[in-house]
């Protein structure tokens, strides 16, 4: 699968964004780094907090890199 390990750095619910320190995202050709993602559904942000270790799946949605799946790890 395309699940990638990540650590939550910051959750910005009003903006619907999450800052993650993540491993390489092969399907997007991205190296490991810390960056801000949009989330497909803002409700996803209710389940996580800073410091959580999670797994994500990210994809390009309308040109923006977006977390489409998120799970506790």
């Amino acid at each position: 699968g395309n699940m990638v390990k990540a650590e939550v750095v910051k959750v910005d619910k009003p903006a619907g964004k999450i800052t993650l320190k993540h491993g390489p995202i092969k399907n997007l050709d991205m190296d490991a780094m810390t960056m801000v993602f949009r989330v497909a559904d803002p409700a996803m942000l209710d389940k996580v907090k800073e410091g959580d270790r999670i797994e994500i799946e990210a994809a390009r949605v309308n040109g923006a890199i977006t977390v489409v799946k998120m799970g506790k790890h």
Side-chain angles (χ1 to χ4, degrees):
N2 285 328
M3 296 302 276
V4 177
K5 288 185 169 67
E7 184 180 334
V8 180
V9 177
K10 186 181 163 202
V11 177
D12 186 349
K13 281 183 197 164
K17 292 184 175 178
I18 188 167
T19 306
L20 297 171
K21 182 178 178 181
H22 63 77
I25 304 178
K26 292 191 181 75
N27 59 310
L28 293 175
D29 243 352
M30 289 179 64
D31 292 331
M33 63 177 96
T34 300
M35 64 170 280
V36 180
F37 293 83
R38 288 191 187 166
V39 290
D41 177 1
M44 294 163 81
L45 298 179
D46 293 333
K47 302 188 177 97
V48 294
K49 63 186 184 314
E50 287 174 29
D52 279 357
R53 291 182 183 279
I54 60 171
E55 286 190 322
I56 60 152
E57 185 178 330
R60 256 178 224 287
V61 180
N62 300 327
I65 294 174
T66 304
V67 175
V68 291
K69 251 162 77 181
M70 183 186 290
K72 281 285 170 68
H73 149 65

